[in-house]
């Protein structure tokens, strides 16, 4: 029986993970489930999966969690320290699916046991890739990608030599605004950008998909996780979202990974790795699909891609600045303070501004350094938004 913990269990990735675990309850011993504000879901899943401990990130919800778990024998705890304490409990497999920078510290901590970290939290690789990989190596831990594109690349590389890889192509749906005239993008609303043509995801990641800041994050993740150069990483718009990524080898072969847009595939692959087991995802009917389309992304429509490329070249602190600035820019857009196309300008100007204060390419030595860069970048990005409002 494998022991597992799920960080961010109440979110979209977390719930898909819970779904897979609940289908084979005898195969797993669930140690910790964590959530944020959704106490009812956290308690319900902790009881259903017979977890040992349930943790809410927010102290103010502890009483509610305790009440919901009364009489079950499941321990209820709260706060950042409690998340770390949960990550300290040794398990074979950990899902890292807390959203944002809050997911960094528990993920790092969980690596200390030398087990497997299934990494959905994009921010970990983008902001602190080299530190995270070094920590995993130091403790003999394995990191498996959960983002569908990186899981696809990982699967295409099984049994292959990374030295034989010429290029990695990350596909993009192009988001909800992909067919809008470029001139109209400046007036796109939150509702316009928040509708995804293929994937059912939260509002933030859906808007990041429309702006391609999400794809920018994925390009940076690819660079960090697979150790290839920025010149080897390409992106192509593939409106059907059925091919998640392709790997091109030095003999001209191009290996594509196809699958239905269902995150349970990538999660299940990481859960069952190195084996493959049955997963409850739709099977593709290629004759019915008939056509797969591809087109190059227009740099004027998606300025986030060029910014992400510059970040990949710079490395060091640039990923942490990029991530923080794009989160603040998104907050500014959702709050109606800036327009859709202004988000890229905020990120670009924040990177410029921080460059005048810090050496962006210098590597970071620890998590505190990452969090300091994150904090400083957020302040700078908000200042940029205020300037743009004037
Ligand atoms: P959600 O917003 O759906 O869920 C986030 C989870 O984190 C919830 O459990 C939430 O709790 C918890 N949480 C929120 N704030 C905090 C905090 N401050 N401290 C601790 N926990 C917190 O996100 P997703 O599941 O969509 O994404 C999770 C991660 O996976 C992100 O990094 C995302 O980029 C990445 N990802 C997501 C994909 C997707 O298809 N959704 C695909 C690939 C990667 P609660 O809801 O109870 O408040």
């Amino acid at each position: 029986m494998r022991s597992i913990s799920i960080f961010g269990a109440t979110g979209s990735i977390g719930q898909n993970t819970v779904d897979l675990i609940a289908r084979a309850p005898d195969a797993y011993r669930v140690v910790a489930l964590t959530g944020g504000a959704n106490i009812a879901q956290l308690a319900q899943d902790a009881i259903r999966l017979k977890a040992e401990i349930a943790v809410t990130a927010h102290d103010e919800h502890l009483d509610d969690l305790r009440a919901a778990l009364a009489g079950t024998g499941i321990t209820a705890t709260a706060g950042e320290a409690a998340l770390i304490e949960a990550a300290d409990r040794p398990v074979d497999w950990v899902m890292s699916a807390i959203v944002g920078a809050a997911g960094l510290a528990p993920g790092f901590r969980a690596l200390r046991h030398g087990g497997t970290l299934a990494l959905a939290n994009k921010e970990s690789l983008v902001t602190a890739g080299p530190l995270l990989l070094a920590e995993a190596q130091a403790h003999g831990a394995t990191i498996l990608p959960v983002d569908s594109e990186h899981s696809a690349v990982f699967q295409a590389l099984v049994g292959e030599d990374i030295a034989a890889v010429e290029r990695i192509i990350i596909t993009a749906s192009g988001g909800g605004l992909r067919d809008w005239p470029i001139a109209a993008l400046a007036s796109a609303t939150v509702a316009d950008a928040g509708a995804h043509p293929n994937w059912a995801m939260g509002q933030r990641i859906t808007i990041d998909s429309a702006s391609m800041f999400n794809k920018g994050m994925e390009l940076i993740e690819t660079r960090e996780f697979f150790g290839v150069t920025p010149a080897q990483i390409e992106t192509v718009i593939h409106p059907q979202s059925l091919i998640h990524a392709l790997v091109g080898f030095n003999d001209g072969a191009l290996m594509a990974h196809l699958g239905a847009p269902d995150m349970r595939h990538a999660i299940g692959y990481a859960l069952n790795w190195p084996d493959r087991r049955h997963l409850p995802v739709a099977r593709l009917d290629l004759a019915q699909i008939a056509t797969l389309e591809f087109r190059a992304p227009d740099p004027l429509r998606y300025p986030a891609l060029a910014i992400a490329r510059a970040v990949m070249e710079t490395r060091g602190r640039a990923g942490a600045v990029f991530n923080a600035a794009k989160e603040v820019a998104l907050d500014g857009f959702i709050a109606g303070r800036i327009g859709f196309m202004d988000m890229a300008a905020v990120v670009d100007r924040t990177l410029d501004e921080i460059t005048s204060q810090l050496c962006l390419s210098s590597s970071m030595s620890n998590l505190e350094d990452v969090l300091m860069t994150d904090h400083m970048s957020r302040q700078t990005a908000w200042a940029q938004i205020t300037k743009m409002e004037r």
Side-chain angles (χ1 to χ4, degrees):
M1 190 184 263
R2 290 172 78 201
S3 53
I4 72 153
S5 289
I6 307 173
F7 287 77
T10 51
S12 164
I13 295 286
Q15 285 294 289
N16 278 310
T17 312
V18 166
D19 175 80
L20 293 178
I21 302 296
R23 288 167 191 264
D26 297 337
Y28 304 103
R29 178 172 68 85
V30 177
V31 174
L33 291 189
T34 87
N38 192 346
I39 299 304
Q41 190 68 57
L42 179 61
Q44 181 188 314
D45 290 333
I47 293 167
R48 180 156 71 128
L49 299 184
K50 301 188 175 71
E52 291 172 14
I53 177 170
V55 188
T56 163
H58 313 302
D59 292 319
E60 65 273 23
H61 293 309
L62 181 57
D63 287 347
D64 288 345
L65 186 60
R66 279 200 178 122
L69 294 174
T72 63
I74 300 169
T75 307
T77 60
E80 275 178 39
L83 284 172
I84 298 297
E85 193 276 327
D88 273 339
R89 297 185 177 217
V91 287
D92 301 318
W93 191 88
V94 173
M95 166 54 76
S96 166
I98 289 176
V99 66
L104 245 77
F108 262 82
R109 197 64 167 229
L111 289 170
R112 290 192 181 178
H113 309 301
T116 299
L117 184 72
L119 188 64
N121 178 270
K122 290 175 199 266
E123 297 80 5
S124 296
L125 272 178
V126 171
T127 64
L131 288 177
L132 191 79
L133 298 180
E135 188 76 0
Q137 199 176 23
H139 298 286
T142 303
I143 300 179
L144 295 176
V146 170
D147 225 344
S148 57
E149 292 77 1
H150 306 91
S151 174
V153 173
F154 188 86
Q155 292 179 53
L157 286 174
V158 170
E160 304 287 356
D161 180 356
I162 191 80
V165 171
E166 262 180 7
R167 58 186 178 145
I168 292 179
I169 305 172
I170 301 292
T171 59
S173 72
L177 308 178
R178 68 182 173 219
D179 296 320
W180 279 40
I182 292 182
L185 291 174
S187 56
T189 64
V190 171
D192 295 329
H196 199 282
N198 306 328
W199 294 89
M201 303 184 294
Q203 183 196 50
R204 296 181 71 85
I205 194 167
T206 304
I207 298 173
D208 275 351
S209 179
S211 64
M212 280 230 201
F213 268 112
N214 183 48
K215 208 48 57 182
M217 294 281 281
E218 291 174 7
L219 297 183
I220 300 166
E221 281 182 273
T222 304
R223 198 249 180 282
E224 296 301 337
F225 191 80
F226 297 103
V228 289
T229 64
Q232 288 176 285
I233 307 169
E234 300 171 20
T235 186
V236 68
I237 294 186
H238 166 46
Q240 289 85 9
S241 294
L242 296 175
I243 296 182
H244 304 307
L246 305 97
V247 179
F249 294 91
N250 55 9
D251 59 357
L254 199 52
M255 306 276 275
H257 178 284
L258 283 80
D262 184 332
M263 284 309 297
R264 289 177 305 176
H265 176 79
I267 297 167
Y269 182 79
L271 187 60
N272 297 324
W273 182 87
D275 301 328
R276 283 191 187 273
R277 302 215 177 103
H278 177 273
L279 289 173
V281 297
R283 272 47 176 170
L284 296 183
D285 180 340
L286 293 179
Q288 197 182 17
I289 293 162
T291 311
L292 295 174
E293 297 163 85
F294 304 95
R295 56 175 119 128
D298 182 335
L300 291 178
R301 180 182 294 280
Y302 301 113
L305 292 179
I307 302 174
R309 284 213 167 268
V311 168
M312 282 198 284
E313 295 286 354
T314 309
R315 298 189 78 199
R317 291 163 196 279
V321 179
F322 176 85
N323 175 65
K326 74 111 194 142
E327 283 193 10
V328 167
L330 180 57
D331 287 336
F333 173 60
I334 292 172
R337 291 181 60 180
I338 55 171
F340 180 75
M341 293 306 276
D342 295 331
M343 289 192 285
V346 169
V347 177
D348 212 16
R349 289 177 198 178
T350 303
L351 278 157
D352 279 352
E353 179 72 29
I354 298 278
T355 308
S356 64
Q357 301 167 41
L358 285 176
C359 174
L360 267 196
S361 60
S362 64
S363 53
M364 292 182 286
S365 46
N366 53 39
L367 218 49
E368 286 68 44
D369 212 356
V370 179
L371 296 175
M372 183 277 286
T373 306
D374 176 272
H375 180 69
M376 193 172 164
S377 308
R378 281 173 200 273
Q379 284 183 325
T380 306
W382 279 120
Q384 294 301 331
I385 289 177
T386 305
K387 265 192 215 165
M388 288 167 87
E389 283 178 318
R390 282 194 201 124

